[in-house]
Amino acid sequence: MPTPPDRPGPVADGASRLTVLGPVEVTGPLAPVPLGGPVQRAILARVALERGRPVPVASLVDDVWGPASGDRTHRSLATLVSRIRRAIEPLGWSVASGAGAYRFVAPPGSTDLEVFEAQVDAARRMSDPSRTADGIERALGLWHAVP
């Protein structure tokens, strides 16, 4: 299996992609998108993992900063989400807010996790075991984390 590069390049299909199977990064159709620091990346990953379902602010704060975080963290969250929006809105994505929650809005297949799951599902449907193994190996190639 080929070793993926340390930094993602343009996505082969020309689409933008959020990678969560390793370091959290966004790659636009032409180049990587600057996301900011690790807290902003954690926020984006957390809302993206819910695939369009709302993530309550309290849950998001607990998941990113821990349950002992204070009221100031809620204000910081709003500021950081605003920065994330500025980074991803040119891609046609957003982080919507409402009813005390945030929600990642992007076309299906925008995360490497979705692509991984689709490739594994397709491989499992293969009748030839060697093609199944090839499909799963191809899906595993999407992971770019150090084990």
Side-chain angles (χ1 to χ4, degrees):
M1 181 173 9
T3 304
D6 290 339
R7 292 297 218 190
V11 178
D13 60 10
S16 299
R17 180 103 358 99
L18 169 61
T19 60
V20 294
L21 302 177
V24 176
E25 299 173 319
V26 171
T27 303
L30 301 175
V33 174
L35 285 178
V39 174
Q40 284 176 223
R41 292 169 188 272
I43 293 166
L44 180 58
R46 178 63 183 88
V47 296
L49 289 174
E50 291 301 322
R51 301 177 190 193
R53 292 182 301 268
V55 179
V57 168
S59 296
L60 188 53
V61 167
D62 285 353
D63 292 345
V64 173
W65 285 280
S69 58
D71 291 337
R72 185 174 173 197
T73 307
H74 290 262
R75 290 188 300 275
S76 296
L77 176 62
T79 300
L80 294 170
V81 167
S82 177
R83 291 178 187 161
I84 293 166
R85 286 177 176 140
R86 280 196 301 274
I88 67 173
E89 282 178 349
L91 305 174
W93 301 354
S94 71
V95 176
S97 59
Y102 289 100
R103 183 173 56 87
F104 181 65
V105 180
S110 294
T111 69
D112 60 349
L113 178 59
E114 292 172 283
V115 174
F116 171 82
E117 290 174 338
Q119 288 182 0
V120 168
D121 287 345
R124 286 180 175 161
R125 289 190 301 272
M126 300 280 182
S127 58
D128 177 6
S130 67
R131 291 186 66 202
T132 298
D134 289 346
I136 290 174
E137 186 172 336
R138 197 169 31 262
L140 289 171
L142 293 169
W143 286 79
H144 58 278
V146 177

